[in-house]
């Protein structure tokens, strides 16, 4: 059913705001242009009112969910290319058309570590794509191959590489055209007025990676720290150079140590240590040298006969206890106003959480959110067998490996190594509200506005502000998906 004049009013509903509140308010959209409207301007200046009124019965009308790390779904793996462009595109369409049942209206297909010759083709095929009745493919997320061997998780070790020639190494692997500056990259695609995003997950301590961060960011790439054993100094230096995100927090990184909190510690970055007059006596070069003087970090990992049968979260090398050596600072101003926190010299990075109750304990989820709620992003990290209707059991993956699915748990067969997840993003939202005790509106923010802001697309996605894309999901008051809208049109509705 369409509106005669193209305008639709959703009424009797709760709208999530960008700060996580839920407010009772109507929402007007233009289904012809696929955008959210300013109801006052439409009524008083255009002298129009919606011909179609939809009463949502007190339910929640949210921006559509955004999944910025998903490896595949509905029996399609974004990392597998079998020589047929059309078959690959058909797989992309199948995921985009089906995933709307989970409330996702935008996603970022993620490529895990590959044989390097495949990257240019895969990333070219993963240009932004949108079509009626399906979720929007925003671009690509390359997770590897510039990651730490000791934290490789399920990534194939034989394909890991350093960036010895810095940015040129990234161009040689991913393809120069795929790392063009944002405007040139978007113009080379077919989609008009597209929202385009590129994310690279890499370990800043790997040879040549740190020196590449600033140039990659300048070209419009979102740099994410992940699969890394970076110390606090190295992780902080990466953020100061433009790193904007942490890949699946707690997993594939050193665990929190009180003397060197490493990557996780960025959530609680101290103004004392982040200032230009940082009192730490060891800068980035010294930190790297210190890391290189700990031969056990890499040697112990390299000596393994094969994948260690443990979770990424616990497949850990010992975190070196490197308490910063502090020196007195003369003239350092102390705050006198209650409740005012000193400014940081840099913005803390966003961080991803897989909230399936498996990858991170509920206490860890709440601890991270309490430290930095504005940076929290919910992801699925889902694999090809993500399908709400799929039964438990053994399923084929790739390269002769198989998954074992048990509820929301997903392991490599014969090990207990976590291999992504099969949780849906709407379930992550519900879990997150339960695990942290936050409101449903605050949980929704972590799957909508926060990821959009991290990717720099918050004017178009993840929001209900006028002019934004009318990508919407209707939820009941328990967070269950009732219907999904893309570009102002209903694309999925739960069966009665």
């Amino acid at each position: 059913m369409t509106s005669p004049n193209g305008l639709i009013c959703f009424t009797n509903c709760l709208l999530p705001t960008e700060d996580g509140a839920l407010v009772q308010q109507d929402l007007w959209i233009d289904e012809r242009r696929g955008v959210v409207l300013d109801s006052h301007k439409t009524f008083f200046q255009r002298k129009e009112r919606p011909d179609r009124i939809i009463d949502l019965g007190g339910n929640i009308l949210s921006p559509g969910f955004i999944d910025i790390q998903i490896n595949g779904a509905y029996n399609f793996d974004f990392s597998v290319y079998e020589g047929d462009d059309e078959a690959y595109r058909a797989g992309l369409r199948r995921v985009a058309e089906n995933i709307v049942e989970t409330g996702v209206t935008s996603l970022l297909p993620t490529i895990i570590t590959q044989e390097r010759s495949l990257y240019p083709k895969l990333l070219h095929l993963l240009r932004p794509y949108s079509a009626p009745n399906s979720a929007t493919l925003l671009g690509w997320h390359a997770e590897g191959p510039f990651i730490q061997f000791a934290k490789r998780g399920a990534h194939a070790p034989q394909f890991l590489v350093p960036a010895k020639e810095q940015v040129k190494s990234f161009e040689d692997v991913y393809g120069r055209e795929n790392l063009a500056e944002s405007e040139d990259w978007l113009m080379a695609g077919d989609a008009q007025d597209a929202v385009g995003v590129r994310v690279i997950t890499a370990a800043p301590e790997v040879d040549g990676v740190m020196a590449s961060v600033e140039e990659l960011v300048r070209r419009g790439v979102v740099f994410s720290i992940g699969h890394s054993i970076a110390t606090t100094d190295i992780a902080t230096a990466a953020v100061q150079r433009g790193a904007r995100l942490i890949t699946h927090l707690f997993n594939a990184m050193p665990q929190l140590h009180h003397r060197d909190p490493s990557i996780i510690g960025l959530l609680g970055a101290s103004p004392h240590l982040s200032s230009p007059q940082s009192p730490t006596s060891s800068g980035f070069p010294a930190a790297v040298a210190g890391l290189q003087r700990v031969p056990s970090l890499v040697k112990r990992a390299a000596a393994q006969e094969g994948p260690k049968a443990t979770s990424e979260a616990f497949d850990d090398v010992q975190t070196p206890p490197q308490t910063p050596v502090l020196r007195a600072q003369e003239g350092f101003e102390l705050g006198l106003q209650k409740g005012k926190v000193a400014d940081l010299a840099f913005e803390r990075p966003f961080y991803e959480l897989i909230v399936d109750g498996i990858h991170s304990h509920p206490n860890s989820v709440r601890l991270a959110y309490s430290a930095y709620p504005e940076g929290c992003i919910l992801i699925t990290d889902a694999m090809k067998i993500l399908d709400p209707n799929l039964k438990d059991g053994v399923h084929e993956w790739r390269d002769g490996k198989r998954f074992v699915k048990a509820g929301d748990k997903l392991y490599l067969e014969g090990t207990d190594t976590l291999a992504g997840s099969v949780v849906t993003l709407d379930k992550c939202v519900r879990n997150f509200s339960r695990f942290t005790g936050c409101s449903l509106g605050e949980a929704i923010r972590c799957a909508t506005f926060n990821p959009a802001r991290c990717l720099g697309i918050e004017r178009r996605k993840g929001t209900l502000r006028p002019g934004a894309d009318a990508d919407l999901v209707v939820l009941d008051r328990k967070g269950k998906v009732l219907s999904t809208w893309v570009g102002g049109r209903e694309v999925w509705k739960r069966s009665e």
Side-chain angles (χ1 to χ4, degrees), residues 56-79:
L56 292 180
N59 288 311
I60 298 167
L61 180 62
S62 167
F65 297 152
I66 304 171
D67 195 348
I68 69 171
Q69 185 159 352
I70 176 171
N71 304 285
Y74 300 96
N75 203 36
F76 182 71
D77 190 329
F78 298 131
S79 296

Side-chain angles (χ1 to χ4, degrees), residues 385 392-395 402-406 409-415:
I385 62 173
D392 290 353
V394 179
H395 302 272
R402 301 201 296 177
F403 293 123
V404 177
K405 178 183 180 294
K409 297 180 181 179
L410 191 64
Y411 299 103
L412 292 179
E413 187 181 34
T415 79

Side-chain angles (χ1 to χ4, degrees), residues 82-361:
E82 297 178 332
D84 186 336
D85 289 10
E86 286 310 309
Y88 189 87
R89 290 190 177 102
L92 292 176
R93 288 193 295 270
R94 182 166 72 250
V95 174
E97 290 168 0
N98 284 280
I99 203 164
V100 293
E101 69 177 315
T102 69
V104 171
T105 57
S106 297
L107 64 149
L108 197 58
T110 302
I111 305 299
I112 66 167
T113 299
Q114 293 289 309
E115 196 281 313
R116 62 185 296 162
S117 66
L118 288 175
Y119 279 104
K121 169 61 75 173
L122 285 171
L123 300 186
H124 177 77
L125 289 168
L126 287 173
R127 288 185 176 278
Y129 167 83
S130 61
N133 304 318
S134 67
T136 298
L137 304 179
L138 295 171
W140 50 261
H141 180 164
E143 187 184 11
F146 304 98
I147 61 175
Q148 176 58 245
F149 181 91
K151 288 295 179 185
R152 66 193 183 279
H155 291 242
Q158 67 272 27
F159 297 143
L160 304 185
V161 296
K164 291 183 177 179
E165 297 184 80
Q166 300 178 14
V167 170
K168 185 177 183 301
S169 296
F170 284 83
E171 291 179 334
D172 289 345
V173 171
Y174 297 142
R176 174 177 283 188
E177 68 281 2
N178 294 316
L179 289 181
E181 294 190 29
S182 289
E183 185 175 351
D184 295 333
W185 176 66
L186 283 171
M187 289 179 66
D190 297 327
Q192 299 296 315
D193 193 32
V195 174
V197 176
R198 294 168 294 174
V199 176
I200 291 175
T201 290
E205 77 279 8
V206 167
D207 188 14
V209 171
M210 182 71 81
S212 307
V213 174
E214 285 182 281
E215 176 60 19
L216 292 171
V217 171
R218 188 190 69 78
R219 297 185 189 187
V221 173
V222 175
F223 186 92
S224 186
I225 303 170
H227 289 274
S228 168
I229 57 172
T231 61
T232 298
D233 285 346
I234 294 174
T236 301
V239 173
Q240 289 173 326
R241 284 160 172 76
R244 188 167 173 79
L245 179 63
I246 301 172
T247 296
H248 45 53
L249 187 76
F250 299 120
N251 293 272
M253 62 186 62
Q255 297 311 289
L256 190 67
H257 192 289
H258 60 287
R259 293 198 182 100
D260 184 358
S262 184
I263 300 162
I264 299 170
L266 290 171
L267 274 63
S270 168
H272 181 52
L273 299 179
S274 77
S275 67
Q277 297 82 28
S278 173
T280 56
S281 61
S282 58
F284 164 63
V288 172
L291 186 64
Q292 292 169 343
R293 287 196 296 270
V294 187
S296 63
L297 290 176
V298 176
K299 285 185 177 178
R300 281 169 44 194
Q304 296 175 4
E305 294 297 327
K308 187 178 179 182
T310 60
S311 157
E312 283 188 3
F314 298 104
D315 182 11
D316 199 6
V317 292
Q318 184 177 358
T319 301
Q322 298 178 354
T323 299
V325 180
L326 307 180
R327 63 174 181 268
Q329 280 189 296
E330 297 297 332
F332 186 82
E333 295 293 332
L334 300 180
L336 301 178
Q337 182 179 342
K338 179 183 177 182
K340 179 174 172 56
V341 179
D343 293 332
L344 286 168
F346 59 86
E347 185 176 349
R348 286 178 287 178
F350 292 88
Y351 58 95
E352 301 174 342
L353 285 174
I354 309 169
V355 191
D356 55 1
I358 301 157
H359 280 79
S360 298
H361 190 279

Side-chain angles (χ1 to χ4, degrees), residues 30-74:
D30 186 335
E31 66 175 351
R32 297 166 302 188
R33 294 190 295 132
V35 298
V36 177
L37 296 174
D38 182 319
S39 58
H40 290 86
K41 286 185 178 180
T42 303
F43 181 76
F44 289 108
Q45 295 181 14
R46 290 172 51 183
K47 309 298 183 184
E48 289 187 287
R49 61 172 43 177
D51 284 342
R52 183 182 177 194
I53 310 294
I54 299 176
D55 188 328
L56 292 180
N59 288 311
I60 298 167
L61 180 62
S62 167
F65 297 152
I66 304 171
D67 195 348
I68 69 171
Q69 185 159 352
I70 176 171
N71 304 285
Y74 300 96

